[in-house]
Amino acid sequence: MIDNIKCCVIDDEPLAAHLIASYVEKTPYLTLSRIFHNASEAVQELLDSDIELIFLDIHMPALNGLELARITSGKCRVIFTTAYVDYAIEGFKVNALDYLLKPVSYDEFLSAAQKALEWKELTSRPEDHDSSKSTDSRISHIVVKSGYRMQQIAVSDIIYIEGQKDYVMLYLDGEERPIMTLMNMKALEQTLPTSSFLRVHRSYIANTSKIKVIERNRISFGGLSIPIGDSYRQQLADYIESHSIMAIRPERP
């Protein structure tokens, strides 16, 4: 069982701050560490402490919420709580888990907190999964959570996978849009059969059966293509060599 997520609330409006704090305190898997009424006084503590999640207002004096999120990027995750819809795109650019518009209901808060719990569970998993999973070519389907749905995907339908921090995008045959799920690339790489999937870049895993052309620094799947990372060139070269059929000239009589 994972430990509770340690949170703080940062909002220059006391009523709004205490409302969110009350939501934190009645959510079993969250623990409230502190309330701050401006972002500037929170910076050093956030960098030095073990706070993992910030419920963060955007419009604040001196240092705004977006600026604070950039400073603490990689240290804490953020759920924005704001009265302004205009900053939603900027919010997701700093990898916010969610963007809540005031006044925030507890149902809305809980939905966002659930994303934080999923993130915590994923990042708390040990890396040393059962190695039999990574080599088991009999795995034919995986189940992923996308939004509020659990979706079963045939591994043979996966063209390639793109990693985006704590999320991955699965590009599938016959689907116009990729499926987005909260998962890390390492866990997915260890789950997929190594007989069919190859890491070709820090951010990409390719289904080798879907590859059409390998040319220069890119792999093409027909209408889609992905880059080849420098540190993955050798294992791609090994794959090419092991699957190449060299033309053999007939001996002259």
Side-chain angles (χ1 to χ4, degrees), residues 10 25 32 60 66 69 84 116 118 159 164-165 167 215 218 230-231 237 240:
I10 305 177
E25 289 175 331
L32 181 64
M60 289 182 288
L66 290 169
Y84 299 89
E118 291 169 3
I159 302 172
Q164 298 184 356
K165 293 194 175 180
Y167 294 87
E215 184 177 17
R218 299 194 73 80
D230 290 340
S231 57
I240 293 170

Side-chain angles (χ1 to χ4, degrees), residues 54-234:
I54 314 169
F55 291 93
L56 180 61
D57 187 22
I58 290 180
H59 266 276
M60 289 182 288
L63 183 70
N64 70 39
L66 290 169
E67 292 166 336
L68 178 64
R70 294 186 187 103
I71 292 169
T72 59
S73 177
K75 180 71 171 58
C76 309
R77 296 305 303 269
V78 168
I79 294 173
F80 284 113
T81 58
T82 178
Y84 299 89
V85 71
D86 302 345
Y87 294 96
I89 293 174
E90 289 300 316
F92 285 108
K93 281 183 180 179
V94 295
N95 199 31
L97 283 171
D98 212 336
Y99 190 99
L100 302 178
L101 288 175
K102 296 176 181 176
V104 180
S105 71
Y106 184 59
D107 284 346
E108 292 169 326
F109 173 91
L110 203 55
S111 176
Q114 185 65 30
K115 294 179 183 178
L117 180 61
E118 291 169 3
W119 161 75
K120 174 84 170 183
E121 288 173 340
L122 284 169
T123 55
S124 299
R125 289 177 184 172
E127 295 289 350
D128 55 338
H129 298 281
D130 184 352
S131 60
S132 64
K133 287 187 177 181
S134 63
T135 57
D136 186 0
S137 61
R138 295 172 297 174
I139 294 174
S140 60
H141 292 76
I142 59 173
V143 177
V144 300
K145 184 172 184 180
S146 181
Y148 297 101
R149 300 183 302 166
M150 301 301 293
Q151 187 162 347
Q152 180 168 264
I153 297 169
V155 296
S156 60
D157 287 343
I158 299 172
I159 302 172
Y160 69 88
I161 298 155
E162 179 183 0
Q164 298 184 356
K165 293 194 175 180
D166 298 318
Y167 294 87
V168 297
M169 312 285 283
L170 292 90
Y171 291 79
L172 308 178
D173 270 337
E175 298 289 341
E176 291 185 6
R177 296 182 179 180
I179 291 174
M180 182 183 211
T181 183
L182 186 65
M183 183 180 292
N184 62 57
M185 288 283 277
K186 185 70 173 177
L188 190 54
E189 183 182 14
Q190 291 176 327
T191 300
L192 293 168
T194 55
S195 58
S196 303
F197 290 86
L198 184 67
R199 188 81 171 259
V200 297
H201 187 279
R202 182 171 57 88
S203 300
Y204 294 95
I205 299 172
N207 183 343
T208 54
S209 69
K210 304 290 186 182
I211 294 174
K212 302 298 184 186
V213 177
I214 301 172
E215 184 177 17
R216 297 182 181 176
N217 297 320
R218 299 194 73 80
I219 294 171
S220 173
F221 303 92
L224 300 170
S225 68
I226 59 174
I228 301 166
D230 290 340
S231 57
Y232 296 88
R233 291 184 188 281
Q234 186 56 55

Side-chain angles (χ1 to χ4, degrees), residues 26-45:
K26 72 176 186 177
T27 304
Y29 49 84
L30 301 180
T31 297
L32 181 64
S33 293
R34 277 203 63 182
I35 298 174
F36 296 93
H37 292 299
N38 71 70
S40 300
E41 70 179 20
V43 173
Q44 197 57 52
E45 181 158 342

